[in-house]
Amino acid sequence: MNWQLKSFDELSNYELYQVLRLRCNVFVVEQECPFVELDNLDIHTGCLHLMAYDGSDIPVAENHSPKLLAYARLLAPDLYYVGQSSIGRVVVAPEQRGSGLGHDLIDLAIEHAFSMWPAQEIKIGAQLRLQSYYEKHGFASISEPYLEDGISHIHMVHASPNL
């Protein structure tokens, strides 16, 4: 597995295309949830894109073999939640579900978030059906369920080990 962590300006056109395609295929098409996927946070300097590819090379063109298998977006404190960093747009390609890649993805996203912003807890808006998944990774619920784009969500936090 080839893991990449990049800012928006470091993404190639093809990497960006793969990210947006995977996110749209899962969040909009598969989950049947039309929403504004492009929210201007991806381009912010406080946003990092964590990507897992199936090969050792970074994709540069459509016919290049590495395929994006998993993705998560890391947001700096105050970019989305006041005083807290965030992890969102967590997605694993359908053919990789059940392989453990999702657990590796969230573990690495947490590690990077605490490395980048060590004194900040991580807050997420998790789909309610994934609450136990995030609890296994150290997140705790801090809200009642709420609807976002027609899907039940819950706010959760992961305390910083540095606090």
Side-chain angles (χ1 to χ4, degrees):
M1 194 66 52
N2 179 10
W3 292 95
Q4 300 287 320
L5 182 66
K6 295 184 174 189
S7 70
F8 182 80
D9 290 339
E10 295 171 320
L11 295 173
S12 72
N13 290 338
Y14 189 66
E15 287 172 314
L16 177 60
Y17 177 83
Q18 283 192 317
V19 165
L20 296 177
R21 182 174 183 198
L22 178 60
R23 288 176 11 185
C24 286
N25 282 348
V26 172
F27 299 134
V28 178
V29 177
E30 180 183 318
Q31 295 181 359
E32 298 178 356
C33 182
F35 73 107
V36 179
E37 165 61 358
L38 302 177
D39 58 6
N40 288 322
L41 293 175
D42 293 314
I43 63 175
H44 196 281
T45 57
C47 177
L48 296 171
H49 305 271
L50 178 60
M51 303 163 289
Y53 289 96
D54 67 350
S56 60
D57 295 326
I58 300 169
V60 293
E62 183 177 357
N63 61 357
H64 201 272
S65 60
K67 179 181 178 188
L68 182 64
L69 300 179
Y71 170 88
R73 179 170 80 174
L74 286 65
L75 300 174
D78 300 318
L79 187 55
Y80 196 74
Y81 296 112
V82 176
Q84 297 160 314
S85 65
S86 185
I87 298 170
R89 302 293 202 268
V90 177
V91 61
V92 174
E95 67 272 14
Q96 290 296 311
R97 294 182 193 150
S99 69
L101 182 57
H103 293 288
D104 294 342
L105 174 66
I106 197 65
D107 285 341
L108 198 52
I110 291 166
E111 181 182 320
H112 281 298
F114 285 140
S115 174
M116 298 291 298
W117 310 293
Q120 303 296 319
E121 65 184 5
I122 302 167
K123 183 175 181 180
I124 61 173
Q127 289 185 11
L128 186 59
R129 66 182 183 85
L130 297 172
Q131 180 178 357
S132 64
Y133 165 80
Y134 287 108
E135 287 173 343
K136 290 176 187 172
H137 294 278
F139 285 90
S141 302
I142 60 165
S143 76
E144 293 297 316
Y146 62 92
L147 280 181
E148 183 176 316
D149 300 316
I151 297 175
S152 293
H153 282 71
I154 191 161
H155 281 123
M156 303 182 82
V157 295
H158 192 303
S160 171
N162 300 308
L163 293 178

